[in-house]
Amino acid sequence: MGFSLGALASPIVVNATAITFGLLGWVMLGGIFLAAAFGIWMISRRAAAVVDA
């Protein structure tokens, strides 16, 4: 269900940021994606440490 909600919300988020705010919107989206990637990296790093232990 989370994937479906993400697929539903992503066009709305892009329209609300990138198209409305132009370059600043794209920078904001880039920051959001970077923060999400960092969070996923931290979660996977912690999970790998638990498996190795």
Side-chain angles (χ1 to χ4, degrees), residues 2-52:
F3 178 79
S4 297
L5 290 174
L8 175 75
S10 61
I12 296 168
V13 171
V14 170
N15 281 329
T17 56
I19 296 184
T20 302
F21 298 113
L23 181 61
L24 178 62
W26 284 109
V27 171
M28 291 180 347
L29 279 175
I32 291 169
F33 293 145
L34 187 62
F38 179 74
I40 291 170
W41 177 73
M42 289 297 293
I43 291 169
S44 63
R45 186 173 172 214
R46 182 170 288 179
V50 169
V51 170
D52 290 340

